[in-house]
Every structure is written in C-alpha cells, then in structure tokens.
Amino acid sequence: MLVIGLTGGIGSGKTEVTHILRELGAVVIDADGIAHLSYRPGTPAYEAIVRLFGRDILDGSGVIDRGRLGTIVFSDPGSGRREKLEAIVWPATREWIEGRLAKEEGRGTRAVVIEVSKLFEAGWDQFVDVVWAVEVPPGDAGNSEIARRVQARSGFDEARTRERVAAQMTREERIERADLVIENAATLDFLREQVKTAWQTTRARSE
Ligand code: ATP
C-alpha cells in the first residue's frame, strides 16, 4: 500500500487537494482532525494537556477550548509551550493513524493520503512513502492571498495568520524536501488538473 503524506503551508490549499483526491477515489486521513480528537475528555492526551496548561483552557463542559489553547501556545514562541503540546499530541495522533493504516492494508486499499500540515516538523516524512507539498507562490501577492483565504475561512486576522506561519517550516524548506510540489497559483480548476496528474503518475509508479 502506498502512503502519501500531503503537507503545505497554512491556507495553501491542502484541504482543497484532499477534496479532489477523494473524488478521484483516494482514501484520505485528516491528521489535524485526528489530532483534535486525540485530546477529547478521558483520553491520556487530555489528562496530560490539562496537567500542563491548567484548567483555564477548558470550556464550561470540561472540553479543551482550542481557541484558548492556540492563544497560549502560539502567542509566546520562545516559551516552548507549543513544542510541549506537540510532544503530547503528535504521538497520540500517529498511533491512531497507524491503526487506521493497518485496517486499510487489511482491506486491500492500494493508496492512502494523510493530510498533515506539519509533516516534516513531526518527522512523519519517515513514515510515509512519498511527500506532496501544496504551496502558494511567494511574494507579497502570495502572502496576502493566503491571509485573505485563511481569514475568509477561519476568521483569523493577519497577525494571527503570521503567528501560525512563523511556527511552520518555510515554503522553501518544504519544497526542498518534498517529492512533488503542487503550486496552487491559479484557479481551483488548475489545481484539479495538477492533482489529477500527480495522482495518476504516482499510482502508476507504485504498481
Ligand atoms: P490550513 O493549513 O489552514 O488547514 P489548507 O492548506 O487546508 O489550510 P484550504 O482550506 O484548502 O487550505 O484553503 C484555504 C482557503 O482557500 C479555502 O477557503 C479554499 O477554498 C481557498 N482556496 C484554496 N485554493 C484556492 C484557489 N486555487 N482558488 C481560490 N480559492 C482557493
């Protein structure tokens, strides 16, 4: 079974790419979504996070409020808080994903795509077969385009988007390390054509 790791900068179009891949018949695992599930109340990760950050991060029903947690870990980059959170969440997420991959293998699935924004940072390039990076061209136009898309989708302002970008590897580093780069530089139709070609080529090579 071929495991494709799909990564890219914030708001670069990873989720759009997964929509296209699903239409093409791919099995897609959303690692960031799994990461959020990994710290539901009652999980070992939940206990560890509450021990680390205190009960102020909980909402009225005892669930970890991701907005509050995000503010704590991203607002003070030198504090090491984000790294501590990741050291809890990434292994829990990976364990779940490995279980899912074993199930897909048992089912005879031929290719699985894992969407994960911090693939290289988490060292997961070691556990996938190929890495695809979705990127927006650099420069002011590219940056403001990302800010505009992220704001439209998540309501983040520019400063908040910049904080998230600063916590990630640069576009250049991802491009250097990826096996294939999808430049999300134009319309969604253009993106679709690139993804189709990448999917067909990668699948053909893995057969
Ligand atoms: P995140 O890192 O925050 O999870 P992402 O990389 O998954 O983001 P998407 O959610 O796919 O990015 O895209 C961000 C926003 O930009 C979405 O609203 C999406 O529909 C829009 N978008 C992506 N690509 C294009 C494009 N080529 N043309 C127009 N809008 C686009």
Side-chain angles (χ1 to χ4, degrees):
M1 185 174 73
L2 179 76
V3 181
I4 300 168
L6 177 70
T7 191
I10 182 171
S12 62
K14 297 178 293 297
T15 304
E16 287 293 346
V17 170
T18 66
H19 294 326
I20 300 164
L21 285 167
R22 282 198 176 97
E23 279 168 30
L24 294 171
V27 171
V28 179
I29 300 172
D30 166 16
D32 297 335
I34 305 301
H36 301 148
L37 292 179
S38 79
Y39 53 77
R40 277 177 306 186
T43 61
Y46 175 91
E47 304 300 334
I49 293 168
V50 175
R51 219 175 302 126
L52 193 60
F53 295 105
R55 304 193 67 82
D56 285 351
I57 60 162
L58 303 179
D59 69 13
S61 56
V63 171
I64 292 173
D65 181 322
R66 280 183 23 222
R68 282 186 214 167
L69 189 57
T71 304
I72 292 172
V73 301
F74 286 108
S75 60
D76 187 0
S79 66
R81 291 190 192 121
R82 177 173 56 77
E83 290 79 359
K84 284 186 184 147
L85 176 65
E86 289 168 347
I88 297 169
V89 174
W90 285 346
T93 307
R94 177 154 169 185
E95 199 183 314
W96 189 97
I97 291 178
E98 280 178 350
R100 172 75 191 276
L101 289 178
K103 270 189 206 140
E104 293 298 338
E105 182 102 59
R107 263 182 213 144
T109 302
R110 283 164 53 210
V112 174
V113 179
I114 306 174
E115 177 193 2
V116 46
S117 48
K118 290 175 129 187
L119 177 130
F120 291 117
E121 291 88 335
W124 288 11
D125 48 325
Q126 304 298 321
F127 112 94
V128 300
D129 299 310
V130 277
V131 176
W132 292 5
V134 191
E135 302 294 339
V136 176
D140 288 348
N143 292 337
S144 54
E145 179 59 23
I146 290 175
R148 196 190 58 71
R149 287 182 193 167
V150 172
Q151 186 170 8
R153 195 212 36 206
S154 322
F156 283 7
D157 60 17
E158 221 176 308
R160 211 156 157 203
T161 307
R162 238 183 283 119
E163 266 174 18
R164 310 291 153 127
V165 170
Q168 286 195 321
M169 227 175 220
T170 64
R171 164 193 150 86
E172 287 69 28
E173 286 170 304
R174 283 188 301 267
I175 288 178
E176 170 80 28
R177 294 178 62 175
D179 298 296
L180 183 129
V181 178
I182 297 168
E183 289 281 13
N184 187 9
T187 60
L188 287 171
D189 282 341
F190 179 70
L191 184 64
R192 181 180 308 276
E193 286 316 307
Q194 287 188 83
V195 174
K196 253 191 196 165
T197 307
W199 176 242
Q200 281 157 3
T201 314
T202 306
R203 293 245 338 216
R205 250 192 248 134
S206 73
E207 270 159 17

